[in-house]
Amino acid sequence: MSNELFELAAQSIIDGDEAKAVEIAKRALAEGLDPLEVIEKGFTVGINKVGDLFDRGKFFLPELMVSSDAMKNAVTILNDAIPPAEQTKSIKALIATVEGDIHDIGKGLVVSLFRVHGMDVYDIGNDIPVDEIIDKALEYEVDVIGTSALLNTTMKNMKKLEDALRERGVRDKFKTIIGGAPVTQRYADKIGADAYAENANDGVKKILEMVKA
Ligand code: B12
């Protein structure tokens, strides 16, 4: 039953059918399915397929936008249903999408999963300049700064962040972690980020390894 629902969820995103996507998200909750599993095995599969179709010139920007709206609405319903976790560790993390980049669906998943694992998360949004990221990180006294970039042209702002942290003399105050489709472990090593995460789960694992309570 759940497999069928995962397929329907993915298809609703490919079809850009927002009403259907929202209906499936609500149905999944009513059936007692795990919201995170529905996001990962259903809706995310759909948006990745949309990305492939866009890549191959079969979908254009209007289709991409309609699908991403459907994705955002369905995922918001599921995110809101994720139960808060027991506060096992008091790790504070600031999360942002870098300047010039408005992709925030993946960041939203990261924020939800970090909260599920009991972290105190400050989501400061998307298209955020480096200095604002650092100012807020200092203000909230976070342990970790996580940034997301989905464009080849914006991932350079992750390097800018590393450089600015050093220039401002505050690099040692934080662990940094980066993620997003074009980002790799190699890139993290190259710019001096503390960690790279392939997905939200990997992000939790890496942070728990880096920040001992
Ligand atoms: C949805 C989407 C959009 C939506 C975004 C809506 C939104 N609010 O997010 C819209 C339609 C607005 C859009 C616009 C554009 N897009 Co777009 N978009 C996508 C698409 C299809 C899916 C992205 C997504 O949400 N994936 C699902 C999430 C769950 O995955 P994720 O983001 O990778 O996140 C996971 C991991 O990477 C990781 N992670 C991510 N960040 C972080 C951070 C931390 C700290 C951690 C721990 C983990 C982590 O964990 C997440 C969860 O597991 C991708 C295709 C793709 N395959 O990525 C193209 C894609 C990213 N877009 C692309 C392009 C070119 C654009 C535009 C430039 C198009 C245009 N001509 O205008 C604009 C740019 C706008 C801008 N300035 O940012 C290209 C980028 C090419 C490149 N490498 O540079 C892609 C790859 C499509 C393609 N194949 O060509 N896009």
Side-chain angles (χ1 to χ4, degrees):
M1 186 62 201
S2 53
N3 277 345
E4 186 209 333
L5 206 69
F6 295 155
E7 277 171 30
L8 288 174
Q11 194 59 46
S12 71
I13 300 303
I14 297 164
D15 294 341
D17 188 340
E18 187 175 321
K20 186 90 188 163
V22 164
E23 183 201 313
I24 292 167
K26 288 183 179 161
R27 198 175 125 198
L29 294 179
E31 288 180 12
L33 298 181
D34 174 3
L36 274 172
E37 202 180 351
V38 181
I39 293 173
E40 277 172 16
K41 297 189 178 161
F43 292 110
T44 302
V45 173
I47 197 77
N48 284 337
K49 185 82 207 289
V50 169
D52 289 346
L53 291 165
F54 181 69
D55 220 7
R56 288 190 275 132
K58 303 226 158 127
F59 265 25
F60 295 97
L61 197 56
E63 281 110 333
L64 192 63
M65 290 178 80
V66 171
S67 290
S68 82
D69 281 350
M71 173 89 184
K72 281 208 88 169
N73 282 307
V75 168
T76 300
I77 290 169
L78 294 165
N79 269 346
D80 288 348
I82 296 172
E86 302 263 313
Q87 196 75 23
T88 47
K89 280 172 171 250
S90 55
I91 297 175
K92 287 195 199 178
L94 176 139
I95 308 287
T97 303
V98 296
E99 187 170 13
D101 202 321
I102 61 163
H103 293 88
D104 65 356
I105 295 172
K107 173 177 70 63
L109 290 183
V110 169
V111 169
S112 297
L113 204 73
F114 282 13
R115 288 194 176 133
V116 166
H117 284 267
M119 290 182 213
D120 225 343
V121 186
Y122 299 86
D123 176 2
I124 64 164
N126 50 33
D127 189 14
I128 308 294
V130 160
D131 278 327
E132 188 177 335
I133 295 177
I134 300 176
D135 290 343
K136 292 271 162 58
L138 289 168
E139 182 187 337
Y140 302 139
E141 300 182 325
V142 297
D143 307 292
V144 179
I145 299 177
T147 49
S148 180
L150 269 286
L151 298 171
N152 289 334
T153 49
T154 57
M155 56 193 274
K156 64 174 185 294
N157 289 322
M158 292 168 156
K159 175 172 186 322
K160 223 171 132 187
L161 173 66
E162 295 295 329
D163 293 345
L165 284 167
R166 280 187 209 98
E167 278 157 24
R168 289 175 63 167
V170 293
R171 182 62 185 85
D172 292 347
K173 285 185 185 285
F174 312 105
K175 294 289 182 193
T176 57
I177 182 164
I178 61 174
V183 180
T184 58
Q185 179 64 54
R186 201 159 158 232
Y187 185 65
D189 294 341
K190 189 173 151 199
I191 66 171
D194 292 307
Y196 156 73
E198 195 181 342
N199 54 43
N201 265 319
D202 190 31
V204 171
K205 201 178 117 230
K206 299 268 171 66
I207 289 179
L208 293 179
E209 279 166 13
M210 288 192 293
V211 187
K212 306 272 178 254

